[in-house]
Amino acid sequence: MKYDYLIVGSGLSGAIFAHEAKKAGKKCLIIEKRDHIGGNIYTKEVEGINVHEYGAHIFHTNNREVWNYLNQFTEFNRYTNSPVANYHGELYSLPFNMYTFNKMWGVVTPEEAAAKIEEQRKEAGITEPKNLEEQAISLVGKDIYEKLVKGYTEKQWGRPCDELPSFIIRRLPVRLTFDNNYFNALFQGIPVGGYTQMIEKIIGDTEVRLNTDYLKNREEFDAMADRIFYTGPIDAYFNYEFGPLEYRSVRFETEVLDQPNFQGNAVINYTDRETPWTRIIEHKHFEFGTQPKTVISREYSSEWKPGDEPFYPVNDAKNSELLKKYHQKAEECGNVIFGGRLGEYKYYDMDQAAARTLEIVKEELESQNR
């Protein structure tokens, strides 16, 4: 065995596992099927702008331990996520706050806004929401649901809101204040210089092999290391033995524009059903850029099929039952540790992925030292 650990995937989870294992004196090899490190948080410099190649990633957390940990490797700027909703040219503040309610209904005070929402809840007569549509109307009323939730959600999930489970939208940020900060988190920002730079520092001088597909050469790689930390899709690891788990995928159309400012905000969601994209990202605004050009990405949500990049696990009842079977198989793999969003089939935010990996690697290293 040449290595103590083979780490499959160079995203945040793989990078943190490698860093901690190496710090403990272990020899690691990271293999990555893409031609770059960083997984889905990879940023690529275009016209002096750090472009989020796989969609907007805004770091936010209440976990001080994770915040302090990542600050070893990067400095975060003061970016605050304040997206805007565009409904047929009407612009609304997200999260839903007093700016939203004033634009929607002309109300001025929190009391008026609360009364309007309550009036629409009562009109709907929903006592026990049975689906996402009923859940959303019971939270924010019909007007906001129709203009700012329905179309966007149906594009995102590829099915009508009354066919989606209510838990998807159990918590909608509704504020009777003028606070435009979407995330209610202690810490928030974007790494100065982009995420790729941060991942490079976490990985350090650990050996990395790009353009290398573990699943195509599994026997060869398994023979190289005592233990494996696998961050790819758990169902793919077992060759889809029980059938594929479902994901939502996203595709991006990115273009460089010969103008300094396209939309005036990093994130604008298009909430009507007719606009084919879900949102437009203008990357320079994540880092308060003043470059003469700008780069925008239109995001299109799509149904995942094998061969596509899996982005969001569909954690419904059917997939949860299927996942139990894969978890049982995973427990039988004595030398393989499954981690990350795909390896655990969990919708982790970045801070959750970091915290979970730190927990996994700590347990792993302690068990190896017993």
Side-chain angles (χ1 to χ4, degrees), residues 286-297:
F286 288 128
E287 298 185 64
F288 316 106
T290 57
Q291 298 89 346
K293 294 187 179 183
T294 194
V295 182
I296 65 166
S297 296

Side-chain angles (χ1 to χ4, degrees), residues 24-281:
K26 306 297 184 182
K27 190 168 185 190
C28 301
L29 169 65
I30 299 172
I31 59 173
E32 169 59 60
K33 71 175 184 177
R34 289 172 173 164
D35 63 358
H36 59 75
I37 61 168
N40 283 358
I41 65 172
Y42 169 71
T43 47
K44 176 183 178 182
E45 190 179 313
V46 178
E47 297 289 344
I49 299 161
N50 291 308
V51 172
H52 297 219
E53 285 276 287
Y54 302 96
H57 284 84
I58 299 140
F59 190 84
H60 58 98
T61 189
N62 287 311
N63 188 325
R64 192 178 296 273
E65 182 187 347
V66 167
W67 178 254
N68 290 340
Y69 181 84
L70 291 178
N71 270 274
Q72 298 175 90
F73 311 104
T74 191
E75 176 189 354
F76 286 90
N77 69 15
R78 61 173 181 81
Y79 178 80
T80 299
N81 190 30
S82 303
V84 171
N86 183 321
Y87 178 79
H88 292 305
E90 297 174 21
L91 300 180
Y92 294 90
S93 179
L94 294 174
F96 308 135
N97 63 13
M98 286 303 298
Y99 290 114
T100 318
F101 307 139
N102 175 262
K103 179 76 179 276
M104 185 73 69
W105 299 312
V107 297
V108 174
T109 68
E111 187 179 21
E112 290 173 323
K116 191 72 179 174
I117 292 171
E118 186 58 29
E119 176 193 318
Q120 294 201 350
R121 279 178 182 156
K122 283 183 177 172
E123 278 177 16
I126 299 160
T127 50
E128 284 189 35
K130 297 181 182 63
N131 53 53
L132 187 148
E133 179 172 287
E134 292 184 357
Q135 179 70 40
I137 291 171
S138 71
L139 287 171
V140 294
K142 193 165 185 181
D143 291 343
I144 288 177
Y145 167 71
E146 291 286 350
K147 285 191 173 185
L148 304 183
V149 177
K150 182 175 169 36
Y152 184 87
T153 304
E154 291 184 349
K155 287 188 289 188
Q156 195 174 33
W157 291 96
R159 39 188 69 85
C161 285
D162 59 7
E163 292 178 15
L164 289 166
S166 61
F167 72 79
I168 291 176
I169 209 159
R170 196 151 285 153
R171 289 183 190 148
L172 273 174
V174 178
R175 297 185 188 146
L176 297 175
T177 67
F178 290 90
D179 182 6
N180 270 343
N181 182 357
Y182 190 85
F183 297 123
N184 187 18
L186 278 173
F187 309 106
Q188 185 173 175
I190 304 281
V192 174
Y195 283 100
T196 303
Q197 197 175 92
M198 180 184 80
I199 293 290
E200 283 171 352
K201 287 179 181 170
I202 298 172
I203 289 173
D205 60 2
T206 295
E207 183 183 348
V208 180
R209 297 185 193 175
L210 300 176
N211 300 303
T212 304
D213 191 329
Y214 166 75
L215 294 176
K216 286 183 179 173
N217 302 282
R218 187 185 306 201
E219 288 182 17
E220 175 193 337
F221 287 116
D222 286 352
M224 292 169 67
D226 293 322
R227 307 274 290 161
I228 295 158
F229 182 64
Y230 175 83
T231 68
I234 188 170
D235 52 349
Y237 181 88
F238 295 109
N239 201 28
Y240 307 106
E241 182 177 333
F242 306 113
L245 291 160
E246 290 179 293
Y247 300 87
R248 290 295 291 172
S249 195
V250 185
R251 67 180 179 86
F252 307 93
E253 288 179 358
T254 299
E255 57 180 314
V256 179
L257 301 177
D258 195 11
Q259 62 189 80
N261 191 354
F262 174 74
Q263 63 185 19
N265 204 47
V267 182
I268 294 189
N269 291 1
Y270 284 75
T271 60
D272 61 273
R273 193 68 183 86
E274 294 72 29
T275 302
W277 52 83
T278 52
R279 59 183 180 172
I280 295 180
I281 306 302

Side-chain angles (χ1 to χ4, degrees), residues 1 22 37 156 190 215 249 268 302 304 310 338 352 362:
M1 295 292 184
K22 186 170 186 292
I37 61 168
Q156 195 174 33
I190 304 281
L215 294 176
S249 195
I268 294 189
S302 61
W304 175 87
F338 293 83
Q352 295 169 320
K362 184 183 177 189

